């Protein structure tokens, strides 16, 4: 059974370091790729650096993540951040609500702490994956692999 199907919404969050404003370019490129795959993209309002490396407080980022877990339309959540701030959201997450509203969570780098905690406390499927690969140097293969794996339920 595929994780995603045509018309599904996917959330894009940043639970770790905030992104630079220049990142809007590749986020728009990611959105375009996902749109072409038939997915609807919902961006977090806490993606970009507001002060130094921070894209909001730990509580604010956790609230966004909880909002995405509770949103019945969103079928998967992809974190586009990385760095060294992801562990700050952990104490503000409601793991019972997450378990009740389980959906796949994808992240990379220091997001492994969130991946492991979501799995151990809520039994949520979590995946070490960076969606930014869809617009990188090997984007053609990455897009094909994404579609095969998450939409077409192939190897």
């Amino acid at each position: 059974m595929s994780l995603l199907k045509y018309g599904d919404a996917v959330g894009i969050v940043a639970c770790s370091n905030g992104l630079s404003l220049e990142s809007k370019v590749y986020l728009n490129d990611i959105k375009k790729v996902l749109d072409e795959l038939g997915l609807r993209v919902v961006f977090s309002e806490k993606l970009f650096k507001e002060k130094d490396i921070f894209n909001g407080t730990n509580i604010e980022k956790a609230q966004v993540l909880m909002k995405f877990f509770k949103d019945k339309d969103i079928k998967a959540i992809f974190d586009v951040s990385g760095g060294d701030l992801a562990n700050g959201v952990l104490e503000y997450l409601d793991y019972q609500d997450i378990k009740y509203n389980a959906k796949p969570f994808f992240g990379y780098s220091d997001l492994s702490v969130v991946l492991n905690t979501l799995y151990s406390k809520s039994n949520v499927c979590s995946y070490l994956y960076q969606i930014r690969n869809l617009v990188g140097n090997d984007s053609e293969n990455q897009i094909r692999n994404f579609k095969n794996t998450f939409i077409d339920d192939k190897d």
Side-chain angles (χ1 to χ4, degrees):
M1 185 167 128
S2 63
L3 288 175
L4 298 168
K5 64 183 184 319
Y6 187 85
D8 281 349
V10 295
I12 306 291
V13 298
C15 292
S16 191
N17 297 40
L19 306 175
S20 67
L21 289 177
E22 292 80 24
S23 301
K24 284 185 178 183
V25 172
Y26 78 76
L27 287 176
N28 287 331
D29 291 343
I30 290 171
K31 181 182 183 316
K32 182 180 175 192
V33 168
L34 295 175
D35 286 346
E36 289 171 358
L37 292 171
L39 302 173
R40 295 180 295 119
V41 176
V42 180
F43 287 112
S44 161
E45 62 270 14
K46 294 291 179 185
L47 290 174
F48 301 101
K49 295 177 186 178
E50 296 174 355
K51 189 175 186 182
D52 298 323
I53 60 174
F54 301 100
N55 52 322
T57 66
N58 291 327
I59 294 171
E60 290 170 331
K61 292 186 289 186
Q63 287 171 337
V64 168
L65 186 55
M66 289 304 306
K67 177 179 144 188
F68 279 24
F69 268 107
K70 291 178 182 180
D71 187 329
K72 301 290 185 208
D73 289 334
I74 294 176
K75 302 303 180 191
I77 303 168
F78 294 89
D79 195 299
V80 292
S81 64
D84 52 12
L85 301 174
N87 63 333
V89 302
L90 297 177
E91 68 181 293
Y92 303 107
L93 299 177
D94 183 330
Y95 297 101
Q96 280 305 108
D97 268 354
I98 292 170
K99 185 175 186 172
Y100 180 73
N101 296 287
K103 57 191 70 174
F105 181 87
F106 300 82
Y108 187 77
S109 185
D110 74 319
L111 272 296
S112 60
V113 70
V114 177
L115 298 170
N116 292 333
T117 304
L118 290 175
Y119 178 74
S120 67
K121 292 190 174 239
S122 301
N123 205 31
V124 165
C125 291
S126 56
Y127 302 88
L128 189 63
Y129 175 74
Q130 180 53 271
I131 198 162
R132 288 189 274 184
N133 291 334
L134 295 178
V135 295
N137 293 336
D138 191 33
S139 62
E140 187 175 313
N141 284 326
Q142 293 294 327
I143 292 167
R144 182 176 51 255
N145 290 338
F146 182 95
K147 184 176 184 299
N148 285 343
T149 303
F150 302 128
I151 297 171
D152 293 340
D153 198 27
K154 297 179 182 175
D155 288 340

